[in-house]
């Protein structure tokens, strides 16, 4: 087959793809009308994850040349276009533009929806509460920095809940105007500079490592000076028209958990986790009593975090447990905590599908 014949065949396939994509969009529009009529959420994370897994399985069964990562990336944008078409979906995130949270949000929702940068956690909560944003994206745990207490504290005081979760593993990118090695300075967030310092010193031995307020600020400096590079997200490079000249090795990858903040919990997916806030009296064995309630019902407590309260007489625990808060077993456990006087207050902060790690490489 000649090159011209191959190109003609590709053009024909592109026409078929475009027709099928528009046909799919019409069906999605119909689904959206049904959801609006029944007051259902447009974005359903459990459904999205099942679809992506199913497509990856079909691709493997067909011995497709495309990788699973490529399949996910393609369908992420197809679904992003559908979400934007249906509801002009707006996503608030902890900014500025090009931040790690922004990168994770785009990785989840694609490029077609509208993003609203907020400088503070309060701003993200405010946008979702005021319904000027449909969802918010916030970090809740860093592999290098631990739990993000601002997020936990705001969940405690808000009626908003965790709707879904993003588990995101990514490499840091060094970006500059051109792929040359005449870099005299590398700017980046203090935590990321510290995390990647050994690799940066080995890869760019003549460059000074300088702390910056944000990845976005570092990328803005690099865009103005060809001798300056920035350490940050691939999205920062895209936004500032920079080229990624180096990517950190796997051992320097960061792992971050983000929550998708909504006005209610996510619906049951069959494989969920639930975040609880529990206030109890500050006494010896208080946490043990709480844990025994769940252990007696064979409920797995996956993670525990404690935070101070305004009253020194109370202890506050955040527990992530397996299951959805609507499950009978979890309802019984929560009731037992209150009825038996083990907890002063129990608050469900959200139930959400348990996702796998997403790698951005």
């Amino acid at each position: 087959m000649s090159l011209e014949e191959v190109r003609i065949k590709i053009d024909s396939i592109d026409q078929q793809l475009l027709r099928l994509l528009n046909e799919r969009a019409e069906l999605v529009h119909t689904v959206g009308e049904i959801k609006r009529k029944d007051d259902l959420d447009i974005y359903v994370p459990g459904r999205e994850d099942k679809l992506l897994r199913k497509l990856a399985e079909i691709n493997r069964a067909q011995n497709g040349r495309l990788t699973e990562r490529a399949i996910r990336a393609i369908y992420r944008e197809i679904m992003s276009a559908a979400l934007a078409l249906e509801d002009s979906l707006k996503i608030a995130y902890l900014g500025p533009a090009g931040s790690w949270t922004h990168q994770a949000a785009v990785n989840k929702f694609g490029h077609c929806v509208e993003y609203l940068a907020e400088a503070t956690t309060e701003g993200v909560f405010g946008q979702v509460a005021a319904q000027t944003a449909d969802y918010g994206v916030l970090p809740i745990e860093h592999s290098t920095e631990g739990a993000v207490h601002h997020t936990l504290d705001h969940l405690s005081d808000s009626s908003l809940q965790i709707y879904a979760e993003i588990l995101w593993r990514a490499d840091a990118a060094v970006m500059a105007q051109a792929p040359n090695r005449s870099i005299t300075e590398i700017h980046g967030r203090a935590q990321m500079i510290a995390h990647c310092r050994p690799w940066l010193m080995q890869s760019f031995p003549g460059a000074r490592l300088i702390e910056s307020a944000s990845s976005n600020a570092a990328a803005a400096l690099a865009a103005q000076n060809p001798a300056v590079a920035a350490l940050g997200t691939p999205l920062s490079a895209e936004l500032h028209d920079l080229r990624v000249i180096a990517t950190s090795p796997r051992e320097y990858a960061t792992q971050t958990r983000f929550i998708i903040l909504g006005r209610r919990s996510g619906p049951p997916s069959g494989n969920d986790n639930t975040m609880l806030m529990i206030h109890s009296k500050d006494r010896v064995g208080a946490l043990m009593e709480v844990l025994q309630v769940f252990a007696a019902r064979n409920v797995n407590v996956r993670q525990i975090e404690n935070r101070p309260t305004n009253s020194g007489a109370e202890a506050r625990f955040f527990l992530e447990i397996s299951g959805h808060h609507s499950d009978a077993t979890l309802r019984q456990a929560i009731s037992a905590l209150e009825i038996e006087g083990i907890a002063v207050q129990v608050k469900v902060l959200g139930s959400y599908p348990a996702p796998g790690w997403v790698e951005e490489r």
Side-chain angles (χ1 to χ4, degrees), residues 19-238:
R19 176 180 58 80
L20 289 171
L21 285 172
N22 278 296
E23 186 177 329
R24 186 184 192 278
E26 287 295 334
L27 293 171
V28 169
H29 177 69
T30 302
V31 170
E33 290 181 332
I34 295 170
K35 285 184 173 181
R36 278 191 292 272
K37 180 181 176 182
D38 296 339
D39 192 30
L40 300 174
D41 289 293
I42 295 294
Y43 168 63
V44 183
R47 162 66 180 162
E48 176 189 89
D49 187 60
K50 287 179 182 177
L51 174 60
L52 291 173
R53 290 176 186 274
K54 180 181 178 180
L55 290 168
E57 290 172 3
I58 292 172
N59 186 59
R60 285 194 295 270
Q62 294 178 348
N63 293 317
R65 185 176 290 274
L66 292 173
T67 64
E68 180 174 342
R69 181 189 173 194
I71 294 292
R72 284 179 172 270
I74 290 167
Y75 269 86
R76 178 184 65 201
E77 294 303 328
I78 290 174
M79 290 186 287
S80 178
L83 288 170
L85 178 68
E86 277 314 304
D87 207 30
S88 299
L89 204 70
K90 295 181 177 63
I91 309 297
Y93 66 90
L94 187 62
S99 67
W100 297 98
T101 308
H102 190 192
Q103 178 79 74
V106 171
N107 189 78
K108 170 58 71 173
F109 291 100
H111 288 79
C112 297
V113 302
E114 184 178 347
Y115 291 99
L116 308 172
E118 286 293 331
T120 64
T121 301
E122 292 89 341
V124 176
F125 271 81
Q127 289 273 20
V128 179
Q131 300 189 29
T132 49
D134 297 283
Y135 300 102
V137 179
L138 289 161
I140 197 167
E141 184 182 8
H142 293 292
S143 59
T144 56
E145 301 169 41
V148 181
H149 293 143
H150 276 177
T151 302
L152 290 172
D153 291 342
H154 278 81
L155 282 168
S156 300
D157 300 330
S158 174
S159 62
L160 302 179
Q161 293 190 311
I162 303 173
Y163 184 75
E165 184 180 38
I166 306 169
L167 302 182
W168 190 62
R169 183 183 291 119
D171 302 322
V174 177
M175 61 201 77
Q177 293 183 23
N180 59 60
R181 292 286 169 170
S182 58
I183 299 298
T184 60
E185 297 177 0
I186 300 176
H187 293 248
R189 288 181 64 241
Q191 295 89 341
M192 191 54 58
I193 288 283
H195 181 64
C196 295
R197 185 176 294 275
W199 166 66
L200 291 172
M201 292 179 67
Q202 182 179 8
S203 301
F204 301 91
R208 289 196 305 142
L209 306 182
I210 301 174
E211 296 178 4
S212 183
S214 67
S215 300
N216 186 63
L221 283 173
Q224 297 171 5
N225 189 333
V228 171
L231 180 68
T233 65
L235 183 58
S236 289
E238 180 183 329

Side-chain angles (χ1 to χ4, degrees), residues 230-285:
L231 180 68
T233 65
L235 183 58
S236 289
E238 180 183 329
L239 294 174
H240 291 274
D241 198 25
L242 297 171
R243 298 184 64 175
V244 175
I245 61 173
T247 303
S248 63
R250 178 171 287 271
E251 59 266 30
Y252 290 96
T254 58
Q255 299 180 14
T256 307
R257 297 176 69 200
F258 297 89
I259 62 166
I260 297 176
L261 185 69
R263 288 181 282 277
R264 53 189 167 192
S265 281
S269 70
N271 181 28
D272 301 290
N273 293 324
T274 294
M275 183 78 74
L276 297 177
M277 181 200 69
I278 299 174
H279 277 199
S280 68
K281 293 180 181 179
D282 191 7
R283 61 177 183 271
V284 175

